[in-house]
Amino acid sequence: MTAPNPAAGKPVDPASLVNVPQLVTAYFASKPDPSDPTQRVAFGTSGHRGTSLKNSFNENHILSTTQAICDHRRETGLTGPLFIGIDTHALAEPALASAVEVFAANGVDIMIDERGGYTPTPVISHAILSYDKGRTSGLADGVVITPSHNPPEDGGYKYNPPHGGPADTDVTAKVEKTANAYMESGMKGVARMPYARARKAPTTHMHDYIRPYVADLGNAVDMALIKSSGVKIGIDPLGGAAVHYWQPLIEHYGINATIVNDAVDPTFRFMTADWDGKIRMDCSSPFAMASLIQMRDRFDVAFANDTDADRHGIVTRTGGLMNPNHFLAAAIAYLFEHRPQWDKEAAIGKTIVSSSIIDRVAKKLNRKLVETPVGFKWFVEGLGTGAFGFAGEESAGASFLKRDGSVWTTDKDGMVMGLLAAEILGRTGRDPSQLFAGLTAELGVPFYERIDVPATPKQKNALKALGPDQLDMRQLAGEPVSAIRTRAPGNDQSFGGIKVESEAGWFAARPSGTEDVYKIYAESFRDQNHLKTIQQDAQRAIAKAF
């Protein structure tokens, strides 16, 4: 990790806050140039992200992408409603207005929050799955307008098909190509209706998102147990989309929980700066989470979510902010012992760069482990069918089945993960940090770190193409190499990098999609020095291959 900025973990300097009027004006006034690669629609699994200040998230991006989604729905015969939600980023509201104009002009039935509020990603997933249950035609899909935990000046726009999870590349590539063609043609073919008319269109419906999600939560987490145990919970929405879900939830289930901050402010001035001095609502960052960590003694367990509430950060009295891998391991160990109705064959899904402590927990539980490339899209089908009991990523995103073994969400759900931490404490009398400590006493202590190493675009491409022969590593930190992989063992899909394993440690290297760096994920089950040696060996071997 790069040395943190002196401002990291401290309240943000008011002079550095985003200028919201300027941001929104640029959204409508600036027109992106499709001949500039940085200004085109780049629609990945997490949708399109950018900022209006750099002409990478403007009205034309949203109008053209929305029209491309309408075209996709027509081509694939999707006629059900489209559930649409926004987070609290400044650009979400204007982007919603643009999207509504196009959906209405295309006659798409859309479901908008009846309170004019915010809707978390997992709530959209839950709404799609609830609607589609038992149907074979007239299926629903959804859009979430969010750049996740990105800085306040960013906007994002992502699509969830009828399976309720992130769209795969077959859909995203088509949407991206069509959207850019519309921008290149000067927006010819994009249908649009004036906003006031679009809001009143017979196809624009007001929808209650809060009540159905809150009412169903008790089927995923044992809320009655959390109430009866009296566990004292602290909740920080970090000014994100879950902000207005917690009070109804607390009242509905009668749990002993406090919302520590219910402010919504598009500048996010209440945040503490992240590692590089920027504002990011990253609930896995000790710098962004400094305020909640300081309150840890006030609660038995506390948690926060990022801006679209698909990620979680767990804070315990005994251990402070948990490393995401540690909570995943604790959650898996707990759930597979306390969900008797789950199928005995239900597997554990993990990404190839997540901690191997999860492999050891799976072995202890005698459960099948499925290791996939990075990206939650690989878990959608398994969560949908019940083949996965739990699926999670090292970046603090996970979801799991309902208590009866049926699907809860096929997208990450940070809210359900936070409440699970309270269930663990309520049932076992140990918080998740203590549960994890018990696991490591039996299975070994993992030392895990991700570092970024500078790399040119040419080197990044070389790393993508790197195979076991070119790397030629026989030893890793003094141990024989047991495996070199470029494909995830769980589904034999390429993960866009290389992984080298030995008995007591491993590293994986993959190029960043957004920056001129490559990422090294490394882990040792010995000590910090062994981890450092693994990282050095990794960098040496990759530099030699370059």
Side-chain angles (χ1 to χ4, degrees), residues 73 77-81 131-133 135-141 162:
R73 293 181 104 240
L78 277 179
T79 55
Y131 183 88
D132 287 346
K133 190 178 180 180
R135 290 176 199 265
T136 50
S137 62
L139 300 177
D141 52 359

Side-chain angles (χ1 to χ4, degrees), residues 218-239:
N219 293 314
V221 179
D222 194 339
M223 300 302 293
L225 176 95
I226 295 173
K227 179 188 177 178
S228 63
S229 67
V231 170
K232 198 174 176 196
I233 307 164
I235 303 170
D236 191 345
L238 298 182

Side-chain angles (χ1 to χ4, degrees), residues 229-366:
S229 67
V231 170
K232 198 174 176 196
I233 307 164
I235 303 170
D236 191 345
L238 298 182
V243 64
H244 298 139
Y245 281 70
W246 293 116
Q247 200 51 47
L249 185 146
I250 291 164
E251 288 167 15
H252 185 87
Y253 292 106
I255 58 173
N256 182 12
T258 305
I259 305 159
V260 301
N261 176 19
D262 62 0
V264 174
D265 179 339
T267 66
F268 292 89
R269 68 180 70 238
F270 45 76
M271 288 296 298
T272 47
D274 201 5
W275 65 273
D276 56 357
K278 288 183 178 170
I279 297 179
R280 257 185 223 94
M281 286 55 72
D282 181 354
C283 47
S284 62
S285 159
F287 304 110
M289 287 281 281
S291 302
L292 191 60
I293 294 167
Q294 278 167 0
M295 296 182 208
R296 71 194 240 193
D297 292 331
R298 282 175 48 191
F299 306 104
D300 298 325
V301 68
F303 60 86
N305 298 121
D306 67 340
T307 328
D308 66 325
D310 66 347
R311 293 170 55 179
H312 58 273
I314 310 297
V315 176
T316 66
R317 191 174 272 173
T318 61
L321 178 65
M322 287 188 77
N323 173 304
N325 278 303
H326 297 183
F327 184 60
L328 293 181
I332 291 163
Y334 172 82
L335 282 166
F336 283 91
E337 279 184 17
H338 294 93
R339 292 295 186 265
Q341 287 176 272
W342 285 8
D343 191 317
K344 295 284 171 276
E345 299 299 310
I348 297 159
K350 72 169 274 230
T351 53
I352 195 157
V353 296
S354 303
S355 170
S356 288
I357 190 77
I358 296 168
D359 305 46
R360 296 181 178 200
V361 170
K363 199 171 170 188
K364 168 182 152 72
L365 294 165
N366 198 20

Side-chain angles (χ1 to χ4, degrees), residues 14-25:
S16 69
L17 295 174
V18 69
N19 181 329
V20 174
Q22 198 176 42
L23 194 66
V24 174
T25 301

